[in-house]
């Protein structure tokens, strides 16, 4: 392959990735959790903070994140791309799939819709976007 063809392929790939980011980035949130000391001590750390990413998937403020990010949290917050930080409530979590759903109350959210994994093929390139 010539370097021109290589550059064209790389540019097309870059455009696909930046296009995906443009679509999803307004829905990506920073999730932070805080937990304090409790007994029994062996059940979790004595206190601390954790964090991860999530994304808004409904206009009324439901967020999908990882269950391990919010496990044992006493307080959870989500920071939106515009800088607003909102208190979040844990709606539910599934340790087997490591997924959790949070709820925030905020206006002007930009949810993204869930994709259909049945349309993916083995070996297909996917893009992971986080905060």
């Amino acid at each position: 392959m010539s370097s021109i063809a290589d550059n064209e392929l790389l540019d097309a790939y870059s455009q696909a990735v930046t296009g995906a980011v443009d679509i999803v980035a307004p829905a990506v949130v920073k999730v932070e959790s805080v937990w304090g000391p409790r007994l029994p001590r062996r059940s979790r750390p004595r206190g601390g903070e954790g964090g991860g990413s999530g994304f808004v998937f409904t206009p009324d403020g439901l967020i999908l994140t990882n269950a391990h990010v919010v496990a044992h949290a006493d307080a959870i917050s989500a920071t939106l791309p515009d800088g607003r930080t909102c208190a979040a409530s844990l709606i539910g979590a599934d340790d087997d799939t490591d997924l959790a759903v949070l709820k925030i109350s905020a206006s002007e959210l930009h949810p993204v819709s869930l994709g259909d994994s049945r349309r993916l093929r083995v070996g297909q390139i996917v893009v992971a976007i986080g905060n």
Side-chain angles (χ1 to χ4, degrees), residues 55-58 62-64 99 101 111-117 119:
F55 64 91
V56 178
F57 69 97
T58 65
L62 291 181
I63 295 171
L64 189 64
L99 294 175
V101 175
V112 291
S113 56
L114 298 174
D116 182 356
S117 62
R119 296 181 61 200

Side-chain angles (χ1 to χ4, degrees), residues 46-108:
R46 290 189 52 99
E49 300 176 5
S53 295
F55 64 91
V56 178
F57 69 97
T58 65
D60 62 343
L62 291 181
I63 295 171
L64 189 64
T65 190
N66 294 105
H68 73 266
V69 170
V70 296
H72 310 294
D74 294 317
I76 305 168
S77 64
T79 302
L80 304 172
D82 63 12
R84 292 180 289 165
T85 298
C86 307
S89 302
L90 178 62
I91 300 299
D94 179 56
D95 291 333
D96 290 337
T97 59
D98 193 28
L99 294 175
V101 175
L102 309 176
K103 173 80 166 109
I104 61 170
S105 294
S107 60
E108 300 179 38

Side-chain angles (χ1 to χ4, degrees), residues 38-46:
R38 286 204 187 137
L39 296 176
R41 291 182 185 171
R42 292 184 185 145
S43 67
R44 68 176 180 175
R46 290 189 52 99

